[in-house]
Amino acid sequence: MGRLVADAAPRLCGTFGRMGRVSGGRARWAGVFACALLALGSLVWAVRDLSVAHWHPGRVWWLWAGSPSAWGGGSVQVTSLGDAVLLVLGVWGAVRGVRAPRTAAPALAAVGACALVVRLPPSWLLAQPWTGPWAGEGPRGLARVTDLAGLLLGVLLLGCAFAVRRPRGDRPPTARTAAVVLLLSAGLLAVWEAVRAGDYGAAAYRGALLGNRSTTLTLLATPQPWWAAALVLLALAAGIACAARARSGRALGTAAGAMLLAWGLVRLSVALRQERFDGALSGTPRVQLSLASTLAYVLAGLAVLALLRTPARSGAAAEEPAATAPVPVSRAR
C-alpha cells in the first residue's frame, strides 16, 4: 500500500499541475481576447466620431478635454477620454498577455479595473430620459450596448486575472522612485479635489461627480471629478504595491501612469488654448499652483511609464522552463 501511494502521489501532483497550467492558459487567452475587444470597441467609436467631425482630430480632442465651444458638428459624439485610455491599455494588456505570461495576471486585472472605472458612469447616465432626445435612440442604444459590454469585459478580465496561474519564487525588482511619484501624485490630486468640492458645495460636487445634463458632453462620458477620484485610488494602490514589491505593482503603476498622463495632457491643452500660461507669473498663487500641478501630472505620468517599463520577452522566456519542466516520479524499491 505504501508503495502504491508513493508511486501515485507524484503522478497526481503532476496531473493537477498540468491541469492548472491548462486552465490558467485558457484564462490568459480569454483575457487577451477581452483586452482586444475593449480596444476594438473604443477604436470603432473613435473612427465614427472622427468621420462625424469631418476628420478633424482637434474637434474630437476638445470635446474629450471638456471644451464644447470648439465643436462644430451637428451629431452627438460618443467617445470620451476614457475610450482613448481603454484603447491604449487594451492593446497593452493583450500584448502583455501574449508575450509575458508571468505578468499576465496583474496586467489583466489593471485593464479590467480601468474598464470598470471608465464604463460605470455611462451606465447610469445613459439611463436618464434626457439622453434619448439629445442623442437619438439609435446612437443611444448602441452606446448602451458598448457600455454594458465594457462592464462585462471588465468583470471578465478580473476573473481571468484571478484564474491565471501565478509564478512562484522570485520577486519583482524594487520600484521605489515610481512608488514615490505615484503617492505624491495621488496626494496632489486628492488636495485639488478637496478644493474643488469646497468651491462647488456638497450638492453641486455630487452632481459633477456622478454627471448630469450640463456636464455630459458625450454619450460615453466619464465626469472629470469621477476620473480624478478614481485616479487617486488607483495611484495610491499602485504606489503601495510598488513600494511593497508586489507583483501587481508594475501593472497597476502602468495603468495609473497612463491615466495620469492623459489627465495632465487634457488639462495642459485646455490651459494652452485659453492662454493661461501667458499671465502665469502675474497671476494669483492659486492659478500658478494649478498650472504647476498640470505640468506635474504630465511629467509624473511620463516618469511612471518610463520607470516601470520592462521588456516583455523576459517574462515569457522565464516562463518556458517552468511550464515544460518534467515532473519527477520517485520509484520505490
Side-chain angles (χ1 to χ4, degrees):
M1 186 66 180
R3 292 182 178 179
L4 290 176
V5 172
D7 288 339
R11 297 178 185 274
L12 288 175
C13 291
T15 301
F16 284 121
R18 286 190 293 271
M19 290 175 62
R21 284 195 293 271
V22 171
S23 61
R26 290 178 178 175
R28 178 169 62 88
W29 283 108
V32 169
F33 184 66
C35 287
L37 284 180
L38 273 177
L40 181 61
S42 297
L43 178 62
V44 169
W45 277 118
V47 172
R48 178 264 180 192
D49 286 345
L50 279 172
S51 66
V52 169
H54 305 294
W55 306 103
H56 292 293
R59 295 178 179 177
V60 178
W61 172 257
W62 289 121
L63 264 186
W64 287 2
S67 182
S69 60
W71 176 250
S75 300
V76 175
Q77 186 171 323
V78 177
T79 57
S80 67
L81 181 66
D83 289 276
V85 174
L86 284 184
L87 174 59
V88 174
L89 289 181
V91 173
W92 169 77
V95 171
R96 297 299 295 181
V98 172
R99 299 182 61 193
R102 293 176 66 88
T103 59
L108 297 180
V111 178
C114 290
L116 293 179
V117 167
V118 170
R119 293 305 187 212
L120 271 176
S123 65
W124 58 73
L125 286 175
L126 289 172
Q128 300 300 316
W130 50 265
T131 56
W134 170 53
E137 290 300 330
R140 180 197 185 195
L142 292 175
R144 295 187 74 173
V145 171
T146 303
D147 180 66
L148 178 60
L151 292 175
L152 293 177
L153 289 174
V155 174
L156 175 63
L157 282 168
L158 293 179
C160 291
F162 182 79
V164 168
R165 180 173 175 266
R166 290 162 177 78
R168 299 177 181 178
D170 59 322
R171 300 185 68 187
T174 57
R176 295 176 181 175
T177 305
V180 171
V181 174
L182 287 167
L183 294 176
L184 289 177
S185 300
L188 184 61
L189 279 165
V191 168
W192 278 113
E193 281 308 296
V195 171
R196 180 186 297 187
D199 292 341
Y200 286 6
Y205 183 77
R206 180 180 178 276
L209 178 68
L210 300 179
N212 51 46
R213 178 65 185 92
S214 60
T215 60
T216 303
L217 303 179
T218 67
L219 287 176
L220 295 178
T222 304
Q224 289 192 2
W226 175 276
W227 182 284
L231 186 51
V232 168
L233 298 177
L234 181 60
L236 184 63
I240 294 174
C242 287
R245 297 179 63 188
R247 292 194 176 277
S248 60
R250 289 186 176 272
L252 288 176
T254 300
M259 293 183 67
L260 189 62
L261 178 60
W263 174 261
L265 288 176
V266 161
R267 293 176 60 87
L268 179 61
S269 63
V270 173
L272 291 173
R273 183 170 181 264
Q274 296 176 352
E275 299 180 350
R276 297 179 62 188
F277 283 95
D278 293 346
L281 296 179
S282 59
T284 63
R286 177 168 175 171
V287 171
Q288 294 174 348
L289 289 174
S290 177
L291 295 175
S293 299
T294 298
L295 294 175
Y297 298 144
V298 176
L299 295 177
L302 291 173
V304 169
L305 292 177
L307 289 168
L308 297 182
R309 181 181 178 275
T310 52
R313 288 291 185 184
S314 61
E319 178 72 10
E320 292 301 324
T324 59
V327 178
V329 178
S330 60
R331 298 286 184 181
R333 298 289 183 184

